[in-house]
Amino acid sequence: MNTNRWTRLFAWQSKIKNPDEEENKAKESNKTKKDETPKINWKEWIIDPSEEFYYTWLQIMILPICYNWVIIICRTCFYTIEEAYLATWLTLDYICDLVFVLDTVIGFRTGFLEQGILVRDLSRLKMRYIRSSRFKWDIASLLPTDLLYLKLGIHTPLVRVNRFLRTARLNEALDRMETRTAYPNTFRVAKLMLYIFVLIHWNACIYFSLSNYIGFGADPWVYPNISEPEFASTRRQYFYCFWFSTLILTTVGDTPTPEREEEYLFLVADMLIAVLVFASVVGSMGDVISSLRDRDNVFFPNHELVKSYLRSRRISKELQNRVNDWYQHLHINKKITRENEILRHLPITLQTATAVSVHLPTLSKVTIFQNCEKSLLEQLVLKLTPQVYSPGEYVCKKGDVGHEMYIIKEGKLAVVADDGVTQFAVLGDGNFFGEISILNIKGNKSGNRRTANIRSIGYSDLFSLSKEDLTETLHEYPAAKRLLEEKGRQILTKMGMLEETDEGEGEVEKTEDMVNRLEANLETLQTKLARLIAELESSARKMMQRVGQLELQTDEWEGIVAEGTQGETEEQEKVKGREIGDGEGEGEKEDEEEPVVEGERGEGDGGEESLGEKKNVGGNEISENEKEETGDELIKTETHQDQKGDEK
């Protein structure tokens, strides 16, 4: 105690001696805090509709909108309320108008999503808001209709009826609250009651105004005479009218019989509205009840269906009581056994995030899953299935084939002997069992069978992971698979349940794996080679067809050229024959021009004969050439027809 006092004294003296230093430290800390706080640039301030500020602002907008819907009609019909609290009403009116102006400013600054990205361009936001229908309603609700007070008087609040045009913001706020509340069914009932209250309030105000028009106390149907002290107070007037309106709209109690036409019309209109109100109430409550029933059916198994099945099959009372106790335990303790069916309505990313936050701490306690990849654990948590076991129920028995492993979330389980009485150990929260039987470790003496009897002492909540789910997941993570098998071998070695294998067998297994891999690769290469050969043959066949077509085209062109040259030679020979047969002089000139040939000199007759012989010889030659060409053409046509037949 003395040392504490002395330390306090020394600290106090140091404060007195160095007050400036402490002040400087305080200033520096304040400066650092100011520097750390982010500064808002109001000129570029944009509101994200998904942020908390926008949601809070919608909740604030509920107050002025409900104020206008409730108070304006009340002040219009109950004139005593208007006169008694005029200053209060005017103050609240203009506060609501100020909130409406701020809401319009927020409308200019509210962003929107374009291709999933928030638009922050102020010019685009302003143009979008101005072109929307909401901007027209907002401007109409802000029109200064209060200027009509100058002509109609200050006690005419009905001139502010244009403030009702902001009701769309009320619907938006209620929808947002319904999506974010933890109790949506309760909220729906509360919203329905709010609508009914506003409807009854308006009907009560109109009833009081109609009674004033007809005359208070004129007949039993209207409001009694306000000159009587019992009915003179404003509070009594409003409560009486509200009660009378509730009787009419709910059609619960008896109301006085109307006597005037106005009363009949008002009552008929209220009856029609009452039918709609009753239908809406019944429909809304039916939706709430059905949604609650659907929620229970999703959260818990259908108890009625199981009970009817047990009765129809005449199951023993003892087993029926066990089933009923199990269902009762689920409902009382809110145990959910269908988590996967509930989460399947979410996208896979949110499913994983939700399952990780719920089950990852439990899964990370398992020894074989420690130090594994996080992505592997995230996939495994989606495979966990919650199970609930009753007292005395066996989770697994010795000798059973293991198809799943179990992780204890809550409760106690006993490892018992075959007699079911002797307990060897007790497992509690966080323990696990059955993990070795689902890994298929070679050399396991138990042969993937259960080695113990495990029974639930009380109600136990377990998570089960099936062998198929684990195998499917580990197929994509070979490194994790090898790691888990190595940990499983270590555990089996400690337990003495692992058979020793020779290294040669391991090498043989490796070589067999290599041979299998090479055979598989060889098969793939053979299929690829066969595919390439087939493609080569098809391309060669197409090339040969193309070459044949080109040869046919070239042969046709050669025949056309030969026919043309033959026609030219025939014309030249005809011209020469005509020139020879014209006369002797011309013949002599031709003889002089032609080269001298032995045996061809003589007179004109001999010359003509020789020419005639030449002409005949030339004619014979032409006929033979034509015969050869026609024969060649026939051969080509026949070969062409044969090639076409082969192609077909």
Side-chain angles (χ1 to χ4, degrees), residues 403-648:
H403 295 289
E404 60 273 318
M405 65 169 293
Y406 297 94
I407 304 170
I408 303 174
K409 180 184 178 183
E410 185 181 0
K412 291 186 179 297
L413 292 90
V415 181
V416 298
D418 295 337
D419 57 3
V421 178
T422 307
Q423 294 185 2
F424 299 113
V426 177
L427 305 177
D429 301 348
N431 293 121
F432 56 92
F433 56 92
E435 71 278 6
I436 303 299
S437 61
I438 64 175
L439 289 176
N440 286 332
I441 299 174
K442 295 181 180 180
N444 188 0
K445 294 181 180 180
S446 60
N448 293 333
R449 292 182 178 272
R450 305 296 188 187
T451 58
N453 301 313
I454 298 179
R455 188 179 63 184
S456 177
I457 298 175
Y459 285 101
S460 302
D461 296 340
L462 308 178
F463 286 118
S464 67
L465 179 62
S466 66
K467 182 178 181 179
E468 292 78 10
D469 292 337
L470 182 62
T471 305
E472 180 183 357
T473 306
L474 292 179
H475 182 70
E476 301 175 358
Y477 297 90
K481 182 179 181 181
R482 289 192 295 269
L483 179 63
L484 293 177
E485 289 178 352
E486 184 62 28
K487 289 184 178 180
R489 289 191 188 94
Q490 293 176 3
I491 295 172
L492 288 174
T493 303
K494 292 179 181 179
M495 296 171 60
M497 298 294 293
L498 184 65
E499 294 180 355
E500 295 182 358
T501 57
D502 297 333
E503 294 181 357
E505 293 180 359
E507 293 179 357
V508 170
E509 291 177 357
K510 290 181 180 179
T511 54
E512 289 179 356
D513 294 338
M514 292 176 65
V515 170
N516 294 330
R517 196 181 304 111
L518 290 173
E519 288 179 352
N521 294 332
L522 182 61
E523 289 179 358
T524 54
L525 291 174
Q526 287 177 352
T527 54
K528 289 181 180 179
L529 181 61
R531 192 182 299 113
L532 290 174
I533 291 171
E535 291 177 356
L536 181 60
E537 290 178 353
S538 63
S539 61
R541 195 180 299 109
K542 291 178 181 177
M543 186 64 70
M544 293 296 292
Q545 292 175 359
R546 182 62 178 167
V547 170
Q549 292 177 359
L550 292 174
E551 288 178 353
L552 292 174
Q553 291 179 0
T554 53
D555 292 339
E556 290 176 359
W557 283 107
E558 287 177 357
I560 293 168
V561 171
E563 289 177 359
T565 54
Q566 183 179 357
E568 290 177 357
T569 54
E570 288 178 356
E571 289 178 358
Q572 289 178 1
E573 290 178 356
K574 287 179 181 180
V575 170
K576 289 180 180 180
R578 289 174 185 175
E579 290 177 353
I580 293 168
D582 288 339
E584 296 176 354
E586 293 178 358
E588 292 176 356
K589 291 180 182 179
E590 288 178 359
D591 292 334
E592 291 176 357
E593 291 176 358
E594 289 180 359
V596 178
V597 181
E598 294 182 358
E600 292 184 358
R601 289 184 179 274
E603 296 179 354
D605 296 332
E608 290 178 358
E609 289 176 359
S610 63
L611 290 171
E613 290 176 0
K614 289 182 180 179
K615 193 182 288 185
N616 292 329
V617 173
N620 292 330
E621 291 177 356
I622 291 166
S623 61
E624 290 176 359
N625 291 329
E626 289 178 354
K627 289 179 180 179
E628 290 177 357
E629 289 175 358
T630 53
D632 293 337
E633 288 178 357
L634 291 172
I635 292 168
K636 288 178 182 178
T637 53
E638 289 177 357
T639 55
H640 184 62
Q641 291 177 358
D642 294 336
Q643 288 177 357
K644 286 186 177 180
D646 294 335
E647 288 177 359
K648 290 180 180 179

Side-chain angles (χ1 to χ4, degrees), residues 62-100:
I62 294 175
L63 299 176
I65 295 172
C66 291
Y67 166 81
N68 288 319
W69 273 99
V70 173
I71 299 301
I72 289 177
I73 187 67
C74 183
R75 289 164 56 191
T76 303
C77 298
F78 293 90
Y79 52 86
T80 54
I81 297 176
E82 166 69 16
E83 293 176 353
Y85 305 100
L86 179 62
T88 304
W89 301 136
L90 292 177
T91 303
L92 294 175
D93 287 346
Y94 295 117
I95 289 174
C96 293
D97 291 346
L98 179 62
V99 175
F100 283 2

Side-chain angles (χ1 to χ4, degrees), residues 147-432:
L147 297 175
L148 295 175
Y149 284 150
L150 302 175
K151 184 177 181 180
L152 300 177
I154 195 67
H155 295 291
T156 54
L158 198 62
V159 298
R160 294 177 54 83
V161 72
N162 61 327
R163 272 52 175 184
F164 295 159
L165 299 176
R166 289 269 178 163
T167 309
R169 297 291 275 176
L170 175 64
N171 297 329
E172 183 181 359
L174 294 178
D175 291 341
R176 287 288 187 95
M177 293 175 68
E178 183 176 350
T179 56
R180 296 187 64 168
T181 183
Y183 304 98
N185 293 317
T186 305
F187 183 82
R188 293 189 191 103
V189 174
K191 183 173 68 173
L192 178 63
M193 296 304 295
L194 175 64
Y195 291 157
I196 294 174
F197 167 76
V198 173
L199 180 62
I200 294 174
H201 170 77
W202 271 67
N203 195 65
C205 295
I206 295 172
Y207 168 74
F208 186 81
S209 181
L210 182 62
S211 298
N212 185 21
Y213 173 75
I214 296 173
F216 296 115
D219 55 48
W221 190 85
V222 298
Y223 185 78
N225 195 348
I226 59 174
S227 60
E228 298 179 5
E230 186 179 358
F231 302 101
S233 65
T234 306
R235 187 182 303 170
R236 181 62 180 272
Q237 293 173 6
Y238 179 77
F239 287 155
Y240 181 89
C241 295
F242 196 88
W243 167 78
F244 192 82
S245 178
T246 305
L247 289 181
I248 297 174
L249 294 178
T250 57
T251 63
V252 174
D254 295 332
T255 57
T257 304
E259 297 179 0
R260 299 173 181 269
E261 296 177 356
E262 296 85 353
E263 297 173 358
Y264 277 110
L265 292 175
F266 180 82
L267 196 59
V268 168
D270 276 4
M271 290 295 181
L272 294 176
I273 295 172
V275 172
L276 297 177
V277 170
F278 182 76
S280 63
V281 170
V282 172
S284 299
M285 295 305 297
D287 292 339
V288 170
I289 294 170
S290 62
S291 63
L292 290 173
R293 186 177 298 168
D294 294 338
R295 185 196 66 181
D296 292 339
N297 291 335
V298 172
F299 279 16
F300 311 106
N302 194 343
H303 191 193
E304 298 296 331
L305 183 63
V306 175
K307 286 196 296 184
S308 61
Y309 174 80
L310 295 177
R311 287 195 300 268
S312 63
R313 294 298 181 181
R314 297 180 180 179
I315 305 299
S316 62
K317 283 291 184 180
E318 182 182 358
L319 184 55
Q320 291 186 17
N321 292 331
R322 288 178 58 188
V323 172
N324 294 332
D325 293 340
W326 184 76
Y327 271 103
Q328 186 177 0
H329 172 73
L330 293 182
H331 281 275
I332 292 174
N333 298 281
K334 305 299 180 184
K335 300 292 180 65
I336 301 173
T337 58
R338 294 182 174 182
E339 292 184 354
N340 296 331
E341 295 182 10
I342 299 169
L343 295 178
R344 65 183 176 84
H345 299 286
L346 298 174
I348 188 63
T349 54
L350 294 179
Q351 287 185 29
T352 305
T354 305
V356 164
S357 63
V358 175
H359 303 317
L360 188 60
T362 304
L363 187 63
S364 60
K365 294 178 182 179
V366 182
T367 306
I368 60 174
F369 294 137
Q370 291 177 354
N371 301 323
C372 287
E373 298 181 27
K374 187 177 180 181
S375 57
L376 173 63
L377 297 179
E378 288 178 354
Q379 289 197 15
L380 288 177
V381 293
L382 294 174
K383 312 292 185 181
L384 294 178
T385 304
Q387 295 183 2
V388 179
Y389 287 89
S390 302
E393 187 176 358
Y394 278 92
V395 179
C396 61
K397 291 185 178 181
K398 187 176 179 179
D400 294 342
V401 178
H403 295 289
E404 60 273 318
M405 65 169 293
Y406 297 94
I407 304 170
I408 303 174
K409 180 184 178 183
E410 185 181 0
K412 291 186 179 297
L413 292 90
V415 181
V416 298
D418 295 337
D419 57 3
V421 178
T422 307
Q423 294 185 2
F424 299 113
V426 177
L427 305 177
D429 301 348
N431 293 121
F432 56 92

Side-chain angles (χ1 to χ4, degrees), residues 1-10:
M1 294 294 290
N2 293 328
T3 56
N4 292 332
R5 290 177 182 176
W6 283 109
T7 53
R8 290 174 186 173
L9 284 172
F10 282 123

